[in-house]
Amino acid sequence: DAGVTQSPTHLIKTRGQQVTLRCSPKSGHDTVSWYQQALGQGPQFIFQYYEEEERQRGNFPDRFSGHQFPNYSSELNVNALLLGDSALYLCASSAAPPADTQYFGPGTRLTVL
Amino acid sequence: QQQVKQSPQSLIVQKGGISIINCAYENTAFDYFPWYQQFPGKGPALLIAIRPDVSEKKEGRFTISFNKSAKQFSLHIMDSQPGDSATYFCAASMKRRGSTLGRLYFGRGTQLTVWP
């Protein structure tokens, strides 16, 4: 049973560019959450998708947007990249409630030059 | 404002010793407290989790102790091994209306080194 998968593994962009990151949830999971993890810090919640809708959002600007597809996979889009967006972007999936456990993927390392 | 405060920032333990990491929270609405282990270049992996209705949960060498009145919880790693060397994160979440799943609030992490 494949766990949470993310692509690409690494990405290098320049300031002002746009980036799209992808996530496939664990089999049987329908909720996807995205987190940003800066070097040496704990993950910070960006947003959560369920039934193709954004259900919760953390303290991130509108430059961060997302989407969930009918097959439960998800994308994270970041526009107008800043140097401070350099981080490990993590996707976590979970099963339908009352499940609380979130399983994380390996992440996408984004470097903005 | 950090919703979950974690200490220590780093911890060095000898092989076979006990590693203890502590976390504290303020929001009494939190109802789920997981611990994650993260190796360099990898995503966090769930170790063990607890709810506020129990004071302790043990899985193998890992134990969570939970003190609801003090709003504190801790992770104990018994018989620590070099393979346990990783960064450990405590987290907390709560159910919210209109959402199926609480977002996770993470501590800043503890870098554990176990010397052979």
Side-chain angles (χ1 to χ4, degrees):
Chain A
D1 175 29
V4 180
T5 60
Q6 293 186 243
S7 63
T9 305
H10 296 89
L11 205 51
I12 299 175
K13 292 285 187 178
T14 57
R15 281 178 297 176
Q17 285 190 311
Q18 178 264 345
V19 67
T20 297
L21 310 181
R22 296 176 176 81
C23 170
S24 291
K26 190 175 168 65
S27 177
H29 288 186
D30 58 4
T31 301
V32 172
S33 301
W34 287 92
Y35 292 80
Q36 180 195 66
Q37 185 177 24
L39 203 60
Q41 301 294 319
Q44 297 291 315
F45 176 78
I46 302 175
F47 42 55
Q48 181 185 96
Y49 278 85
Y50 172 67
E51 291 185 333
E52 301 179 48
E53 290 187 15
E54 184 182 291
R55 299 290 178 160
Q56 294 186 69
R57 189 178 182 91
N59 189 26
F60 279 81
D62 291 344
R63 299 186 297 109
F64 289 77
S65 63
H67 189 76
Q68 186 179 34
F69 299 94
N71 67 352
Y72 309 123
S73 66
S74 177
E75 287 182 349
L76 163 66
N77 300 291
V78 187
N79 295 321
L81 285 167
L82 303 174
L83 295 179
D85 295 332
S86 295
L88 181 67
Y89 288 86
L90 296 162
C91 171
S93 74
S94 56
D100 278 314
T101 302
Q102 296 188 44
Y103 296 88
F104 283 83
T108 294
R109 171 69 64 186
L110 172 65
T111 301
V112 182
L113 301 177
Chain B
Q1 182 184 1
Q2 192 74 16
Q3 294 263 6
V4 179
K5 296 182 180 179
Q6 183 173 346
S7 63
Q9 187 174 349
S10 63
L11 181 61
I12 300 174
V13 173
Q14 207 158 16
K15 179 182 175 182
I18 302 174
S19 304
I20 302 175
I21 304 170
N22 301 299
C23 285
Y25 64 97
E26 285 298 323
N27 193 336
T28 55
F30 286 140
D31 59 6
Y32 177 70
F33 302 87
W35 284 89
Y36 283 86
Q37 177 191 57
Q38 186 176 30
F39 292 103
K42 305 291 185 182
L46 179 68
L47 262 180
I48 186 172
I50 198 168
R51 295 189 185 280
D53 53 345
V54 297
S55 60
E56 185 175 283
K57 183 175 181 180
K58 183 177 181 179
E59 290 184 2
R61 296 186 294 111
F62 301 94
T63 299
I64 299 179
S65 296
F66 188 85
N67 186 331
K68 188 174 181 178
S69 61
K71 292 183 284 187
Q72 295 175 348
F73 59 110
S74 60
L75 175 69
H76 295 233
I77 305 175
M78 312 301 287
D79 187 26
S80 299
Q81 299 296 313
D84 296 331
S85 297
T87 301
Y88 293 80
F89 293 96
C90 62
S93 72
M94 58 183 150
K95 289 285 191 299
R96 294 187 63 171
R97 292 175 64 183
S99 174
T100 61
L101 180 71
R103 59 176 282 187
L104 288 169
Y105 294 86
F106 283 86
R108 292 188 186 276
T110 296
Q111 188 164 355
L112 172 65
T113 302
V114 181
W115 288 101

